[in-house]
């Protein structure tokens, strides 16, 4: 519980923090970066606890894979068959080893969503100290996040080179956390640039439906848009919300 409550408290304080009553609030872009770092940290602590309780990361992953195999066998019992070179244990192992990375991405989405809900509740009750940000226009990670991403990619390569599971795992979680944050930036770009597109609501519904129920490809595309926006702002030249007749 503390792994959720304490980070949520820190983020909520940052969201309404400013040095003096006359100074500006904490920048929204920096807040998104903090959401990313907090999510990565929480995920790392979760995985560390999970690993320590199950005899190490590899042993914990093997146990999860063992439990997952019967589900896979049931899924493929009456459906398409696996290639002869691929076994159920191979697929189960891949899923088990993907847990830290999926967990990190979900944490980024979870804390972002919780902060948004909390801000809306505070706004409705008149307790929100700062103006509610125009999320589709202001969601943009600071440029120094790209430097950290590059360092994490280098560490991932180093971890694989020296066969260090811990280093590769930690750097991989950092990479996935940052990619998830850029996916949020990409979704913000889509929201902002589609304001005058006919049937915009249908388009956004299909995008989120695809993310939730079909596959991660829409989220990967959103992350790509976020990366492009980091180097070449895609929202430049589009009218602000107050200039649109909605």
């Amino acid at each position: 519980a503390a792994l959720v409550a304490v980070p949520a408290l820190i983020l909520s304080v940052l969201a309404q923090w400013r040095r003096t009553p006359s100074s500006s609030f904490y920048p929204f872009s920096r807040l998104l970066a903090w959401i990313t770092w907090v999510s990565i940290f929480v995920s790392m602590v979760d995985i560390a606890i999970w690993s320590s309780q199950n005899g190490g990361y590899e042993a914990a992953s093997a146990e999860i894979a063992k439990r997952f195999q019967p589900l896979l066998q049931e899924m493929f019992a009456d459906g398409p068959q696996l290639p002869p070179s691929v076994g159920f244990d191979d697929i189960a192992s891949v899923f088990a080893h993907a847990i830290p990375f999926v967990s990190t991405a979900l944490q980024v989405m979870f804390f972002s969503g919780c902060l948004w809900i909390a801000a809306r509740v505070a706004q409705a009750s008149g307790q929100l100290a700062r103006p509610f940000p125009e999320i589709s226009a202001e969601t943009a990670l600071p440029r120094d996040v790209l430097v950290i991403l590059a360092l994490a990619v280098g560490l991932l390569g180093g971890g694989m080179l020296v066969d260090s599971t811990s280093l590769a795992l930690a750097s991989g979680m950092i990479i996935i956390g940052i990619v998830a944050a850029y996916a949020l930036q990409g979704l913000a770009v889509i929201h902002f640039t589609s304001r005058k597109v006919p049937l915009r609501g249908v388009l956004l519904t299909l995008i989120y439906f695809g993310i939730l129920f079909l596959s991660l490809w829409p989220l990967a595309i959103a992350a790509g848009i976020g990366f492009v926006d980091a180097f070449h702002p895609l929202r430049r030249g589009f009218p602000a919300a107050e200039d649109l007749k909605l």
Side-chain angles (χ1 to χ4, degrees):
L3 276 178
V4 175
V6 174
L9 178 62
I10 292 172
L11 292 173
S12 62
V13 170
L14 273 177
Q16 303 199 72
W17 179 78
R18 52 181 174 177
R19 288 189 176 89
T20 64
S22 60
S23 61
S24 58
F25 287 96
Y26 196 73
F28 187 70
S29 59
R30 292 284 172 187
L31 184 60
L32 179 58
W34 268 103
I35 291 173
T36 307
W37 310 142
V38 166
S39 301
I40 293 170
F41 174 76
V42 170
S43 297
M44 286 183 174
V45 173
D46 277 337
I47 296 302
I49 295 173
W50 172 60
S51 299
S52 65
Q53 291 175 342
N54 292 276
Y57 172 68
E58 290 298 338
S61 298
E63 180 62 27
I64 292 293
K66 183 180 178 181
R67 296 179 183 180
F68 194 61
Q69 281 189 50
L71 295 176
L72 282 174
Q73 292 171 345
E74 185 177 340
M75 288 170 58
F76 285 91
D78 300 320
Q81 299 299 309
L82 293 175
S85 59
V86 180
F88 290 111
D89 55 337
D90 298 321
I91 299 178
S93 179
V94 169
F95 274 99
H97 284 86
I99 287 176
F101 311 111
V102 174
S103 171
T104 304
L106 290 177
Q107 289 284 10
V108 174
M109 305 299 173
F110 172 76
F111 280 114
S112 299
C114 285
L115 196 61
W116 182 85
I117 293 172
R120 283 301 189 189
V121 171
Q123 183 187 39
S125 61
Q127 300 300 313
L128 188 64
R130 67 185 293 170
F132 197 89
E134 188 186 351
I135 295 177
S136 63
E138 299 180 36
T139 300
L141 286 163
R143 283 291 185 91
D144 51 12
V145 173
L146 291 171
V147 177
I148 298 174
L149 176 61
L151 291 174
V153 171
L155 288 173
L156 176 62
M160 296 174 67
L161 193 63
V162 301
D163 198 23
S164 172
T165 301
S166 299
L167 182 59
L169 180 63
S171 55
M173 292 173 73
I174 293 172
I175 292 170
I176 291 299
I178 293 175
V179 169
Y182 272 110
L184 292 178
Q185 181 169 330
L187 289 173
V189 171
I190 293 172
H191 273 264
F192 190 88
T193 56
S194 65
R195 282 172 165 167
K196 300 183 74 173
V197 173
L199 300 176
R200 175 176 180 261
V202 176
L203 171 65
L204 295 177
T205 300
L206 290 174
I207 291 172
Y208 285 107
F209 180 86
I211 292 172
L212 292 174
F213 299 107
L214 298 180
S215 70
L216 294 177
W217 284 111
L219 205 58
I221 294 172
I225 294 173
F227 280 116
V228 172
D229 185 61
F231 290 99
H232 179 74
L234 299 174
R235 287 164 284 193
R236 185 180 299 164
F238 282 83
E242 59 269 17
D243 298 329
L244 291 173
K245 295 180 180 180
L246 300 177

